[in-house]
Amino acid sequence: MNDVLNIKDLSVGFKQGDNIRQVIHQISFTIQQGETFALVGESGSGKSVTAMSVLRLLNEPPVTYLGGDIQLQNQSVLKASQKQLRAWRGSHVGVIFQEPMMSLNPLHTIEKQLSETLSIHRGWSLKQSQPKIIEWLNKVGIRNAQNRLKDYPHQFSGGEKQRIMIAMALINEPALLIADEPTTALDVTVQAQILELIQQLKDELNMAVLFISHDLSVVKQIADTVAVMEKGKIVELADSQSLFAKPQHPYTQKLINAEPPDEFRQTREDAPELINIKNLKVWFPIEKGIFRRVSGHVKAVDDISFTIKQGSSLGVVGESGSGKTTLSKALLKLIDSDGELLFNGTNLNQISKQDMTKLRRDLQFVFQDPYGSLSPRMLVSEIIGEGLEINDIGTAQSREQMIIDAMKSVELDPEIRHRYPHEFSGGQRQRIALARALVMQPKFIILDEPTSSLDRTVQFQVLSLLRKLQQAHNLTYLFISHDLKVVKALCDQVVVMRAGKVVEAGSCQAVFEQPQTQYTQALISTAYL
């Protein structure tokens, strides 16, 4: 086989004034035609810096290459001109970036963005490109692709945006695909489809794949070879089967063992009901014509009923667009809904705005993205204490103590409260978000994918923390996730949603062990449980 990529003794650093901070230390590996090579490790291990160096996508300076070489199809990347690099980017090498929200231009239609790479590398006009664009949007699972060409990125869900990024990377059928966490934001069924698509294309085109991930269950399924990175060094390199069967390095063993506990949790039968939802509906009108007449409705949440007992956890699972997040917003009265919405016996759809404001102390939300949900201009103490100040709870002195207690409860050092969010890792930021919710001493917390962007080891720590906090404070959780392993570890009850409806509900054990619907069976079979 031919070598598509050959990295030899590569060292990379970042210039900081007169100093250079080295982040990659003499790493070497080869990827052959038709091979899937996985690079794994925690955040900050150097995975993405290594991958982005393949096409020199990082700004120089501050990035500086301290030694070694990168050979792409026997040509030196580090000695290549900018013109040569531009020719390789998108044609010889495709890249799927980790964050689709940041990678797509909000001002351009999807058709324009996908046609750009065909125009640059093949010289095609927009009209010539259109059949190819539709073909690729269909391949990556965008529904009704032909009618969505003129849509903008904000009109797609997070999962759909990631699929569009994948189509953009593969549309020129490159020799090497760099996939930087390509399935992190996707549901398990879509994840399986994307991985199958990448595998299929790899086989069809004899393409090489550099796959970067912190999800070892995915890596185990698709990788031929695995390199484990820690602190800028490759600490273990082996074929996938050998590495997972007999990991040699302590760090590899730590990563592999950082799996959620494989056991079912049981609901306390004598616990009182805290949440009771009956026939809940959230319909958005579809308006057409000059007079904006209503021609139909998008039934985001359609006639849903369930209960949650105090001190228990309900997992809500389903694909992107199934109505999970809309449901959570309706529960917190952030959007209007019809039906009964009982919290501790009070129908939230029948109380005044003033009474709802008082109740919000008992209802808290932890968002999916620990980077986007914290204000970069506020100190940690201001972020955590904002709710106390708004609700005029306590004195300045007692609020400070409440902030310190909340930080201790999520295992954060209170001394860091005078720092800004950018100074912390993703896991630490998510703990700050948890402290912000807990400081209000709520009864009910909605957790919207709180661990999806975290490394497995950090994810494991946050899950353990959530269970500990639930026991200590008798908290009730609504946990939204596409990771069924995480749902199984944290929740005792589960609701499966599809197209705004509940297709299956019950205890985690009953639903996971004996799923009744084909949809639930498909979700579980693709979750690598």
Side-chain angles (χ1 to χ4, degrees), residues 7-26:
I7 293 181
K8 301 175 183 175
D9 297 320
L10 180 68
S11 293
V12 183
F14 284 86
K15 283 185 178 177
Q16 296 175 321
D18 294 330
N19 300 318
I20 294 176
R21 179 170 62 91
Q22 190 168 346
V23 294
I24 303 295
H25 303 266
Q26 292 183 301

Side-chain angles (χ1 to χ4, degrees), residues 24-298:
I24 303 295
H25 303 266
Q26 292 183 301
I27 64 167
S28 300
F29 62 84
T30 300
I31 307 178
Q32 297 181 325
Q33 224 174 350
E35 180 184 12
T36 300
F37 185 98
L39 209 52
V40 303
E42 295 176 286
S43 297
S45 61
K47 306 186 303 291
S48 293
V49 171
T50 302
M52 295 305 104
S53 295
V54 171
L55 283 175
R56 286 169 58 189
L57 292 173
L58 301 167
N59 290 333
E60 304 171 33
V63 168
T64 180
Y65 296 96
L66 304 171
D69 198 10
I70 302 167
Q71 295 275 333
L72 182 63
Q73 293 180 313
N74 297 319
Q75 296 184 73
S76 174
V77 171
L78 299 186
K79 294 174 184 172
S81 65
Q82 284 300 318
K83 185 179 179 182
Q84 183 64 65
L85 289 171
R86 280 194 294 271
W88 286 341
R89 293 167 184 163
S91 60
H92 289 62
V93 183
V95 183
I96 304 168
F97 295 99
Q98 184 173 355
E99 184 45 82
M101 311 282 277
M102 305 294 287
S103 304
L104 294 172
N105 190 324
L107 302 178
H108 292 163
T109 64
I110 295 308
E111 181 183 32
K112 185 172 182 183
Q113 293 187 59
L114 282 165
S115 69
E116 188 178 9
T117 185
L118 293 170
S119 170
I120 290 168
H121 296 292
R122 299 193 187 185
W124 290 8
S125 66
L126 187 61
K127 190 175 180 181
Q128 283 176 299
S129 301
Q130 200 173 79
K132 192 80 170 170
I133 292 167
I134 293 168
E135 176 195 337
W136 273 94
L137 289 177
N138 283 323
K139 270 188 178 182
V140 297
I142 298 293
R143 298 185 199 117
N144 200 16
Q146 191 158 357
N147 295 326
R148 303 208 65 184
L149 295 178
K150 304 297 181 189
D151 285 356
Y152 290 86
H154 74 270
Q155 294 172 275
F156 295 86
S157 70
E160 287 173 325
K161 288 191 188 100
Q162 190 67 296
R163 292 184 228 184
I164 292 162
M165 278 299 306
I166 290 164
M168 200 179 291
L170 298 178
I171 201 164
N172 273 313
E173 300 174 1
L176 172 66
L177 173 68
I178 299 173
D180 189 358
E181 302 273 14
T183 58
T184 297
L186 304 181
D187 313 306
V188 286
T189 48
V190 179
Q191 184 182 87
Q193 292 164 15
I194 295 302
L195 293 174
E196 191 179 334
L197 175 63
I198 291 172
Q199 192 74 19
Q200 180 189 328
L201 284 164
K202 184 196 83 165
D203 294 339
E204 278 179 19
L205 308 171
N206 208 15
M207 178 176 67
V209 178
L210 174 56
F211 192 89
I212 299 161
S213 183
H214 64 256
D215 191 336
L216 296 187
S217 58
V218 170
V219 169
K220 189 176 181 180
Q221 294 289 322
I222 69 156
D224 301 308
T225 310
V226 182
V228 181
M229 288 194 73
E230 182 188 24
K231 297 177 182 175
K233 296 176 182 176
I234 291 179
V235 296
E236 191 160 353
L237 175 60
D239 68 89
S240 181
Q241 196 172 354
S242 302
L243 185 128
F244 282 98
K246 288 185 178 179
Q248 301 298 309
H249 196 275
Y251 181 69
T252 312
Q253 293 165 4
K254 175 190 165 188
L255 288 180
I256 291 172
N257 292 331
E259 286 288 316
D262 189 19
E263 57 188 31
F264 291 106
R265 305 185 72 210
Q266 304 298 325
T267 307
R268 273 180 42 223
E269 292 300 323
D270 60 338
E273 276 182 6
L274 185 69
I275 304 282
N276 192 339
I277 306 301
K278 294 178 182 174
N279 309 115
L280 191 71
K281 292 180 181 178
V282 181
W283 290 12
F284 298 108
I286 300 168
E287 298 174 337
K288 288 187 176 178
I290 296 172
F291 299 106
R292 312 303 294 166
R293 290 195 175 96
V294 176
S295 61
H297 288 86
V298 174

Side-chain angles (χ1 to χ4, degrees), residues 483-528:
D483 189 335
L484 299 193
K485 281 187 176 181
V486 173
V487 170
K488 184 179 178 181
L490 187 69
C491 302
D492 31 61
Q493 300 286 315
V494 65
V495 164
V496 182
M497 288 188 70
R498 187 182 192 188
K501 288 185 176 290
V502 172
V503 295
E504 194 160 347
S507 72
C508 273
Q509 187 163 2
V511 172
F512 278 60
E513 290 184 346
Q514 293 183 315
Q516 301 299 306
T517 66
Q518 279 190 334
Y519 180 69
T520 310
Q521 289 164 9
L523 282 179
I524 290 170
S525 67
T526 53
Y528 311 124

Side-chain angles (χ1 to χ4, degrees), residues 374-528:
L374 305 179
S375 171
R377 295 182 179 86
M378 294 171 74
L379 296 170
V380 166
S381 60
E382 293 171 333
I383 290 168
I384 296 172
E386 188 177 20
L388 298 172
E389 198 168 336
I390 288 170
N391 288 283
D392 199 23
I393 297 171
T395 62
Q397 192 175 359
S398 64
R399 282 200 289 267
E400 186 77 5
Q401 189 57 49
M402 288 181 208
I403 292 165
I404 290 169
D405 292 342
M407 292 183 74
K408 284 179 179 176
S409 72
V410 297
E411 298 168 8
L412 282 174
D413 182 358
E415 293 302 313
I416 65 170
R417 67 188 185 278
H418 304 301
R419 288 157 63 181
Y420 288 94
H422 73 269
E423 299 177 65
F424 300 97
S425 68
Q428 287 173 314
R429 290 186 206 203
Q430 204 58 292
R431 286 171 189 264
I432 293 166
L434 271 172
R436 175 173 60 184
L438 287 169
V439 78
M440 301 301 293
Q441 298 181 346
K443 293 176 181 170
F444 179 59
I445 300 179
I446 293 178
L447 303 156
D448 189 1
E449 304 265 18
T451 60
S452 65
S453 60
L454 305 178
D455 301 316
R456 271 292 184 200
T457 48
V458 180
Q459 196 177 84
F460 180 76
Q461 293 164 10
V462 172
L463 284 175
S464 301
L465 176 63
L466 286 170
R467 286 199 300 271
K468 193 189 293 183
L469 290 168
Q470 186 172 44
Q471 290 172 351
H473 302 285
N474 198 25
L475 291 170
T476 306
Y477 294 146
L478 180 86
F479 189 82
I480 297 169
S481 184
H482 64 258
D483 189 335
L484 299 193
K485 281 187 176 181
V486 173
V487 170
K488 184 179 178 181
L490 187 69
C491 302
D492 31 61
Q493 300 286 315
V494 65
V495 164
V496 182
M497 288 188 70
R498 187 182 192 188
K501 288 185 176 290
V502 172
V503 295
E504 194 160 347
S507 72
C508 273
Q509 187 163 2
V511 172
F512 278 60
E513 290 184 346
Q514 293 183 315
Q516 301 299 306
T517 66
Q518 279 190 334
Y519 180 69
T520 310
Q521 289 164 9
L523 282 179
I524 290 170
S525 67
T526 53
Y528 311 124

